[in-house]
Amino acid sequence: MLRRKISDQLEIWYQSGRCKAPLIFGARQVGKTTAVREFARSHYNHFVEVNFVKHPIAMQAFDGDLTTHTIVSNLSAMGFGPFVEGSTLVFLDEIQECPKARTAIKFLVEEHRYDFIESGSLLGINYKSVKSYPVGYEERYDVFPLDFEEFLWAKGVSNEVISIVKNAYSSLTAVPDFIHEQLSRYYREYLVVGGMPEAVQKYVTNPDFNEVVKIQRSITTTYRADISNYAGRQASLVKRVFDALPSSLAKQDKRFVLASIEKGASMRKYEDPTQWLIDAGIAYYSINTNALELPFEATENRKLFKLYMVDTGLLCSQLLRNMQFAVMNGEIDINEGALTENYVACVLAANNMALHYYDKKSKLELDFVIPDLNGVSIIEVKSGADYKKHASLTNILTESADKIDRAIVLCRGNVEKCGKIIYLPLYMASEAFGSVTSS
C-alpha cells in the first residue's frame, strides 16, 4: 500500500481526541477512500462505510430526525453495520450526494457515540447546497495526487536520503552527485507517471508505461464523465476548456487563449465553465499580474491566465503520446517545459498558494510570483540545460531588487547560490515552498 501524508494527519486527529469530523476534500481518484480504509483497518475494531453513490438508498437514513439514534437505526435497517459504541468509525463517502448528512454531522459529533469521517469530490461538495453547515464540527483536510516525496516513498527511497535533500535545501549546499543524479531520474519518472495513486501503484509494481497510460486515460475519461454528470447546461463548454488545456500548455507562453476553443470566444461565455474546473480540483488558475506588490489580487488581469492540470502524469498522457520513455531518460526537451511548469504549479497549489505569473507588456515574463516570508518571491522554471539564461529575472533583479525576497530558479542543476539567485533542483520544489504561508 502507498504511504500517504493524509494518514499522518488523520493520526494526529485520532490522538487529539477526535472532537471534530474530518472532511476530506479532493479531486476524483486522488486516494481519499483508500486512505480512510487503511486508517480504519489499523485503528478501529469496526468500520462502517456508507457510499452515497454506490448505495443511494442510504440518503434516506437522513430524512428524519438528525440524531445518532435515528440515523444509526435507519442505516442498520438498510444493512449497514455493525455499530458498536466507542469502537466504530463511520465513513460517509461521496457525501456531496447527501447534503443532509453534512448537516447531521453537528449532532453526530456532539453525541460522540461513534467517530465519523466525511469524504467527497470537490466538484460535488461545491455544487450541491447544504441547508446548514456544521461550522465548528468539521475539520478540513485537502488531498492531492501523490507529491514527489510520497512518490519517493513508493519507490522505496529511504528517509536518510530524503533527509539529505532537506538538509541540502536548508543549508543551500549541493546534494551529493550520486544522490542528485538518482533523484533527478526519479523526478523525470514522476513527470511521466504523475501522482494518481492507481498509476503510481501500477508503476512501482510493474514499470510498464503502456499500463500506466491506460490508467491515466481512464481517469481522464472519468473526469469527462463527471463533467457531464455535474456541470449541467455548461457541460459542453467545460469539456471544451478541459480538452484545450494540454495544447495551451504546449505553447511557448503557455497562456490559455479562449480563441483557441472557438472563434470569437469571450470571457463572459467561458468564465463560469473554466471556474467549474477550478472548483472541481481538476485544474488550477494562474492569473496575470503586472506589479510586484502585495496583494497580487489588487493588480490582477483576470482576462489573462494560464490553466494547469491537477496531475502532471495525466497531462503527459495527453501531451506526449508514446514519448514517455524518452522524457524519463532526458532524451528530448520538446514540451518538457509544459510538464515541468505544470509540476511546479501543482506543488504550489498543494501548499495552498494562489497562482500568479508576472507579465508586463510581454517584455518581462516570470513563471510564478508568490507572497513569501518577507515579501514577493520569484520562481523561474527551467527544464533545459541553459538554466542560467534568464533575461527577465536578471532585469527584474536589477530594476526592483528591493521588492524581491527570494529569486529561485528550479532547474536540472544542483543547489547553488549565485548572487541574489538561488538555483535548486526541480525535485526540491516542495522543500522550497512547503513552509510558505499564502497571503
Side-chain angles (χ1 to χ4, degrees), residues 125-145:
I125 296 250
N126 288 331
Y127 284 87
K128 295 219 172 184
S129 61
V130 176
K131 184 176 180 180
S132 177
Y133 287 94
V135 178
Y137 295 89
E138 288 179 331
E139 189 168 357
R140 174 171 176 153
Y141 296 82
D142 292 303
V143 178
F144 298 88

Side-chain angles (χ1 to χ4, degrees), residues 66-84:
L66 299 181
T67 63
T68 302
H69 176 77
T70 299
I71 292 170
V72 168
S73 295
N74 291 341
L75 289 173
S76 295
M78 296 173 183
F80 295 97
F83 293 88
V84 179

Side-chain angles (χ1 to χ4, degrees), residues 65-219:
D65 294 336
L66 299 181
T67 63
T68 302
H69 176 77
T70 299
I71 292 170
V72 168
S73 295
N74 291 341
L75 289 173
S76 295
M78 296 173 183
F80 295 97
F83 293 88
V84 179
E85 290 191 28
S87 61
T88 303
L89 174 64
V90 182
F91 179 34
L92 303 177
D93 199 8
E94 302 289 3
I95 199 168
Q96 73 276 357
E97 298 297 326
C98 186
K100 289 182 180 178
R102 282 196 70 192
T103 299
I105 281 295
K106 172 183 177 180
F107 310 106
L108 296 172
V109 169
E110 276 185 329
E111 294 182 45
H112 205 185
R113 292 164 60 185
Y114 313 93
D115 290 342
F116 291 86
I117 294 179
E118 309 162 86
S119 179
S121 65
L122 282 167
L123 60 90
I125 296 250
N126 288 331
Y127 284 87
K128 295 219 172 184
S129 61
V130 176
K131 184 176 180 180
S132 177
Y133 287 94
V135 178
Y137 295 89
E138 288 179 331
E139 189 168 357
R140 174 171 176 153
Y141 296 82
D142 292 303
V143 178
F144 298 88
L146 276 78
D147 63 20
F148 184 61
E149 185 175 12
E150 290 173 312
F151 183 76
L152 292 180
W153 292 342
K155 292 286 292 183
V157 175
S158 70
N159 289 331
E160 287 77 12
V161 170
I162 294 173
S163 294
I164 288 172
V165 174
K166 294 180 184 294
N167 291 335
Y169 168 71
S170 299
S171 60
L172 291 182
T173 55
V175 176
D177 288 342
F178 173 77
I179 294 176
H180 172 69
E181 291 172 7
Q182 189 61 46
L183 290 179
S184 295
R185 179 176 177 81
Y186 285 148
Y187 159 73
R188 290 194 297 271
E189 288 184 22
Y190 182 73
L191 278 187
V192 173
V193 177
M196 287 298 182
E198 186 180 0
V200 174
Q201 188 67 68
K202 173 62 71 173
Y203 181 71
V204 297
T205 303
N206 175 24
D208 182 340
F209 284 127
N210 292 324
E211 295 302 312
V212 172
V213 170
K214 286 180 184 178
I215 292 171
Q216 291 167 334
R217 291 179 181 170
S218 174
I219 293 172

Side-chain angles (χ1 to χ4, degrees), residues 106 222 271 314 361 437:
K106 172 183 177 180
T222 299
E271 184 174 15
L314 297 184
K361 298 181 180 179
T437 302

